[in-house]
Amino acid sequence: MIKQVMRDKYFLLLLAPVLIYYVIFKYVPMFGIVISFKNYNLFKGIWDSEWVGLKYYIQFFTNPDAFELIRNTFLLGAYKLLFGFPAPIILALLLNEVRWSIYKRFVQTVSYLPHFISVVVVAGMLTLFLSPTIGFINDVIKAFGFQPINFLMEAGWFRTIYVASGIWQEAGWGSIIYLAALTTVDPQLYEAAEIDGAGRWKRMLHVTLPGIAPAMVILLVLNAGQILEIGFEKVFLLYNPATYETADVISTYVYRTGIVKGNFSYGTAVDLFMGVISFIFVFSANYASRRLGETSLW
Amino acid sequence: MKRKVHLFDVVNALLLSGVVVATLYPFVYMAAVSLSASDYVIRNEVTIGPKGSISTCTTWF
Amino acid sequence: MYHLVLNDPRILLGYKNTIVYVALGTLLSLSFTAMGAYALARKNLVFGKTFMLMIVFTMLFSGGMIPTFLVVKSLGLMNTIWAMTIPGLISTWNLIVMRTFFQGIPKELEESGKMDGLTDIGVFTWIVLPLSKPALSTIGLFYAVGLWNNFFLALLYLRDESMYPLQVILRNIVMAGQYSDAQVVSASGDEMIVEESLKYATILVSTLPILMVYPFIQKYFVKGAMIGSVKG
């Protein structure tokens, strides 16, 4: 053992900063979770704050908002999966049928672009475009003689806006993996299908789709595992008290109660509860995708 | 091998053009509005190209 | 419109801060990621499997927002340039992509370097890194874009307005409708300022760097996404 360490000493030296980073910023916080079982106080510190057992967990479950928060987190993720998952597949299938390669590359390049735009810019654009007074979407609605809709102030619209803007931003980027899978499809299969008299629709159904099916299954499983991992930033930037009933999710609630109001112990308890459920989801999804024999996160 | 252009190719090209427009239009629109003179913006006349932009552009420097 | 945006001291400050955060953050993140990934790419590294498991586990479970916040706070990083660069130092995904890339470098090259009397670090610096320019630029760009777009770290760890990056200032102007004095003055003057034009101009000014360099660098991003998807 010591011999191996000596042999690899330079490698360990190179790895040291990474390991220190993971210990301090990933593993120390994991032990910091104990504050959810204590009455944590900034001045007393973690060790001297008194234990309170499950007090904060009980407080969360007896909170009338708890159900709504869990439901919102779950539904937002579920709609994102339901509509966001097929979008890159459809785009990849359409792109695959383009024969003029310059046009294909142009569409690809353009469709990847929104992936690199910051959440703040996307949220800012949505706020302005959807505004009932200055937004061009409402200008169109008004032009047809309808009443303008105050999209961002109506709870009923939040999920649609969240999911649709997510598709706008990520469908192109998500199609890369399917296009990569399609390059591995044997061109002879297409020729054989053509000789058999298969039309384009048939070829797509019997050659192209089976070609990307493994990638689809894996991504479906992995995305399903991440259903509860709702990005904090976009919800935070788009929601407001008027839309809390559909928009408020666990992470934004943790931010408001924990960081803003300073209820560190309570916020940590809520976060841990969701973290554990999310862990079970991601873990089972990875286990499933391993069993399917292809790939997994580890 | 040369192939005929099918109806599907046309529809597909149009659909993908739709994707391109949907992706780029927000940026084009923002550029047009921000470069247009105020009166046109207020009257909602800006759609693709900037209107009356010269006056605002020259004041940059 | 643009003279108002470009003369807004907050925008200039935000630009300056963001450029500093991106430059420092990319340098640190890329160096440490490359070093760590190279060590982890070694087949029989002592404890290599344990280290990998420890790193991948953090993709599944984390201490959460508040314990991380308390760690950053107790280290005294709040309101410093380090708050924007250190808490997100290593992206596990980038580390794995980089490691996959290093695993593909032929062993013979490294061995020939050792024959010439180089240490392992010498081999890494003089042989492996020069061969890895495409991977380094790809991962560097991923980090740079991530830092340029970062809002979360600033929201949590920066309280001092003079430290705000562009994204926070952008949000304050576009979504909260805060105007600078110059804008209020000219709004009351002869030239009528339309709120929406001003906001769109602000958005474009802060996104322009990405929009402009994007066409030239997008192929690197795609390459990175490919490596990541093959062995994600």
Side-chain angles (χ1 to χ4, degrees), chain C residues 10-231:
Chain C
R10 293 170 305 168
I11 300 268
L12 296 178
L13 182 71
Y15 247 100
K16 200 200 91 202
N17 286 340
T18 294
I19 288 170
V20 172
Y21 300 149
V22 169
L24 178 72
T26 308
L27 181 72
L28 293 177
S29 292
L30 185 59
S31 323
F32 290 134
T33 303
M35 284 158 54
Y38 181 62
L40 290 168
R42 189 181 155 89
K43 258 206 193 78
N44 50 358
L45 178 74
V46 58
F47 301 125
K49 282 229 168 74
T50 319
F51 292 146
M52 236 8 239
L53 198 69
M54 175 185 148
I55 287 166
V56 171
F57 181 72
T58 63
M59 289 173 103
L60 305 180
F61 188 74
S62 80
M65 192 190 290
I66 292 170
T68 311
F69 173 83
L70 294 174
V71 167
V72 172
K73 202 177 156 86
S74 65
L75 289 173
L77 300 181
M78 294 282 287
N79 271 323
T80 65
I81 183 172
W82 308 111
M84 291 300 290
T85 49
I86 301 295
L89 184 70
I90 308 290
S91 138
T92 304
W93 193 80
N94 286 349
L95 185 70
I96 292 174
V97 170
M98 202 78 214
R99 173 176 176 256
T100 309
F101 178 84
F102 284 138
Q103 281 169 340
I105 290 182
K107 266 217 142 331
E108 294 75 40
L109 284 170
E110 297 171 35
E111 272 155 20
S112 74
K114 295 211 78 168
M115 301 277 257
D116 293 344
L118 290 171
T119 60
D120 294 320
I121 292 183
V123 170
F124 173 63
T125 320
W126 304 113
I127 296 178
V128 175
L129 282 187
L131 282 173
S132 313
K133 276 182 200 142
L136 290 172
S137 29
T138 304
I139 300 297
L141 285 168
F142 276 130
Y143 276 125
V145 171
L147 284 154
W148 182 278
N149 287 342
N150 199 300
F151 171 72
F152 185 67
L153 289 174
L155 179 76
L156 280 186
Y157 304 132
L158 299 182
R159 296 284 175 274
D160 182 354
E161 286 190 25
S162 68
M163 301 287 293
Y164 281 172
L166 200 52
Q167 300 299 329
V168 173
I169 287 163
L170 185 65
R171 179 225 175 194
N172 289 347
I173 293 175
V174 174
M175 311 198 50
Q178 296 173 2
Y179 302 101
S180 71
D181 293 343
Q183 287 158 358
V184 173
V185 170
S186 43
S188 56
D190 294 335
E191 196 188 350
M192 194 167 56
I193 299 302
V194 183
E195 179 198 358
E196 80 182 287
S197 304
L198 191 67
K199 287 179 174 179
Y200 288 141
T202 311
I203 290 182
L204 284 178
V205 163
S206 63
T207 319
L208 222 53
I210 287 189
L211 291 180
M212 277 181 358
V213 296
Y214 171 76
F216 306 103
I217 58 177
Q218 55 99 11
K219 64 168 197 272
Y220 289 106
F221 288 124
V222 175
K223 233 180 257 162
M226 293 282 212
I227 305 176
S229 66
V230 172
K231 215 187 171 181

Side-chain angles (χ1 to χ4, degrees), chain A residues 98 103 107, chain B residues 8-18:
Chain A
V98 176
Y103 184 65
V107 177
Chain B
F8 177 82
D9 290 305
V10 179
V11 175
N12 191 19
L14 285 176
L15 277 175
L16 290 172
S17 307

